[in-house]
Amino acid sequence: MKVSIITICFNAEAHIDETLRSVVMQDHRDIEHIVVDGGSSDGTMAKVERYREVLAHVVSERDNGVYDAMNKGLHLATGEVVAFVNAGDMIARRDVLTAMVKEFDRNDADVIYGDALMVDPEDITNVRRYWRGGDYDRENFRKGWMPPHLGTYIRRTAYQRFGHFREDLKVSADYELMFRFLYKHRLRARYVPKVLVRFRLGGVSNRSLAHVWRANLEVFKAWKLNGEQVSPLIVVRKPISKLWQYFKRS
């Protein structure tokens, strides 16, 4: 089974090596690795070039934000299953893709997700938060739940049927896509109790309190955009639901 891994980056010279190595080291061999750079002005592309022979596609040009970049990667992807490992993040172990292929071979899910370690931006050994995906229950979306996007693998047919990331949402388009796929279109989803990814805090949705607030407003907007109703209190429930992530660190 071919797995497409998409890495987006922008001025990520300090961390891009770790990300690319975590894909190269996978023991699953049928990998289509796609790098989409937003026109970096530092040494990011020089480092990406070192991996050119194992990369299926490399794009480097200005974009309109992270979700535009992710959509560029999706347009290039040809694998049966697609996942994102963005610059600075790492696949947790070298056998993750092999394990995920075995899970998809059971043919009982379109979306499979696991757990994620959220680490200090300057020290990847310092786990600041543990994001447990938990058993799938569609109604948990009403509590602000979503699976960890960077620890979620999705069949490419889902993107073909239900579209890519909305680029009019600047902070929570990943939530909207998960909501659209899982809640609205009721794709089959399953949880595997494994840590699949380590990702650095400081991303687009948790960069500052203002970003966190905007992210939660966009979560509420995502329901309206998809013609579904939910209490406005979801903008409060969602951040509260994440508090437990601070108590488990490994």
Side-chain angles (χ1 to χ4, degrees):
M1 178 184 293
K2 182 194 288 186
V3 180
S4 294
I5 299 295
I6 300 171
T7 297
I8 68 165
C9 56
F10 178 67
N11 286 345
E13 178 182 11
H15 303 304
I16 192 67
D17 262 327
E18 294 169 327
T19 302
L20 299 180
R21 276 202 306 271
S22 80
V23 180
V24 171
M25 294 297 290
Q26 290 299 301
D27 58 11
H28 181 67
R29 303 322 313 167
D30 197 0
I31 300 173
E32 177 187 62
H33 193 183
I34 299 165
V35 174
V36 182
D37 173 72
S40 292
S41 57
D42 63 357
T44 299
M45 288 308 299
K47 291 192 172 181
V48 169
E49 286 299 323
R50 297 176 189 170
Y51 295 84
R52 175 69 83 159
E53 67 180 50
V54 296
L55 299 174
H57 300 281
V58 176
V59 176
S60 184
E61 60 189 19
R62 293 189 65 176
D63 56 45
N64 294 317
V66 295
Y67 299 117
D68 177 32
M70 289 180 175
N71 283 340
K72 289 179 181 179
L74 287 172
H75 285 297
L76 291 169
T78 63
E80 189 171 338
V81 170
V82 181
F84 289 87
V85 183
N86 294 330
D89 306 331
M90 292 145 284
I91 299 176
R93 302 181 317 279
R94 68 187 303 270
D95 64 348
V96 164
L97 294 196
T98 296
M100 296 307 289
V101 166
K102 288 181 179 176
E103 296 289 344
F104 275 100
D105 279 343
R106 293 168 56 178
N107 202 29
D108 63 352
D110 305 296
V111 178
I112 298 180
Y113 59 92
D115 301 334
L117 299 181
M118 305 163 78
V119 303
D120 187 288
E122 304 304 324
D123 178 8
I124 61 171
T125 66
N126 182 8
V127 178
R128 300 262 298 272
R129 292 162 59 182
Y130 185 106
W131 188 342
R132 181 177 181 272
D135 292 335
Y136 183 63
D137 181 344
R138 178 173 175 269
E139 290 305 310
N140 281 340
F141 273 99
R142 293 192 174 277
K143 304 173 185 175
W145 174 89
M146 68 174 284
H149 173 233
L150 294 175
T152 300
Y153 289 68
I154 302 176
R155 290 190 188 275
R156 188 165 58 90
T157 53
Y159 292 102
Q160 293 171 321
R161 293 174 63 194
F162 303 122
H164 294 175
F165 294 96
R166 290 185 65 115
E167 295 174 25
D168 56 333
L169 298 177
K170 301 303 181 185
V171 186
S172 292
D174 50 350
Y175 174 90
E176 191 280 333
L177 182 136
M178 292 288 183
F179 176 77
R180 181 172 10 118
F181 283 12
L182 297 177
Y183 190 91
K184 181 177 181 179
H185 295 297
R186 298 174 180 262
L187 288 182
R188 301 171 302 165
R190 185 157 55 78
Y191 167 65
V192 293
K194 300 176 185 294
V195 174
L196 302 182
V197 66
R198 303 172 72 93
F199 71 90
R200 284 180 164 84
L201 289 165
V204 63
S205 63
N206 56 45
R207 189 171 299 153
S208 66
L209 288 176
H211 277 77
V212 171
W213 178 243
R214 180 172 180 178
N216 288 303
L217 290 178
E218 288 192 358
V219 163
F220 182 53
K221 185 177 180 180
W223 283 72
K224 289 187 172 181
L225 290 169
N226 286 282
E228 302 286 351
Q229 294 187 342
V230 70
S231 167
L233 291 176
I234 193 172
V235 301
V236 177
R237 288 173 181 157
K238 191 170 191 301
I240 290 175
S241 72
K242 291 184 176 181
L243 291 178
W244 59 267
Q245 295 175 356
Y246 291 90
F247 297 101
K248 184 173 182 179
R249 300 295 184 92
S250 61

